[in-house]
Amino acid sequence: MNFHVLTLCPEMIRNGMNTSITGRAINAGILSVEAINIRDYAFNKHQKVDDYTYGGGAGMLMQAEPVYLAYEAIAEKARVFYLTPQGQVFNQQMARDMAKEEDLVFLCGHYEGIDERVLEEIVTDYVSIGDYVLTGGELPAMVMMDSI
């Protein structure tokens, strides 16, 4: 099983997944976790990935281009799970089904979300771990990877 996580906080993913049972599975070569820093694909002076929403309003969105380029860096194209409170609620049956896949990609949003253009292009599944809001998708990604 290969997990690919598109994130603004790769250290959070690495630190969380390299411990306990998942850490032993990684060390044994049973699973791999690749945390891809979306900021590495922002080609501006400060590696900025946020932008104002179209039409104004409160909050910021993650830009489409860095997210798409980070996704393109993954060699194996697989199902992409966007972690959002608006998605289908994750459950044990979903974990069983996902465990049958060789590669899974988790897209972790921040701010008010991600530019809709890139979501339409790469996301195959919208998933939620519950009806509440978190600061980013990293914790949901780790919850799902641990369950899977």
Side-chain angles (χ1 to χ4, degrees):
M1 169 66 66
N2 302 304
F3 296 122
H4 310 275
V5 185
L6 304 176
T7 176
L8 295 179
C9 304
E11 300 82 18
M12 184 178 192
I13 298 296
R14 288 185 203 111
N15 292 338
M17 296 303 292
N18 284 322
T19 59
S20 189
I21 295 170
T22 56
R24 290 195 299 267
I26 291 168
N27 290 334
I30 296 169
L31 67 93
S32 71
V33 177
E34 177 186 25
I36 300 163
N37 190 344
I38 295 169
R39 288 188 197 284
D40 291 345
Y41 299 90
F43 300 110
N44 55 62
K45 183 178 178 180
H46 300 290
Q47 291 183 302
K48 181 181 154 197
V49 298
D50 60 328
D51 202 359
Y52 295 102
T53 58
Y54 183 77
M60 303 287 274
L61 289 177
M62 289 176 63
Q63 298 173 11
E65 182 180 35
V67 173
Y68 186 78
L69 294 174
Y71 167 75
E72 284 292 305
I74 299 169
E76 298 297 323
K77 299 304 181 240
R79 288 175 68 183
V80 178
F81 297 91
Y82 177 46
L83 306 162
T84 173
Q86 290 80 28
Q88 179 182 357
V89 178
F90 184 68
N91 60 44
Q92 190 62 46
Q93 185 57 51
M94 290 172 71
R96 283 189 197 101
D97 293 342
M98 291 176 193
K100 296 173 186 172
E101 304 278 342
E102 182 68 27
D103 289 273
L104 296 175
V105 178
F106 296 93
L107 175 56
C108 303
H110 276 262
Y111 314 115
E112 293 293 317
I114 299 175
D115 188 312
E116 190 68 30
R117 294 172 294 180
V118 74
L119 297 178
E120 291 174 4
E121 188 70 28
I122 68 171
V123 172
T124 58
D125 302 86
Y126 293 78
V127 181
S128 171
I129 64 164
D131 190 20
Y132 45 89
V133 177
L134 298 170
T135 57
E138 290 78 15
L139 292 173
M142 289 190 289
V143 165
M144 290 176 64
M145 288 186 286
D146 186 70
S147 179
I148 296 166

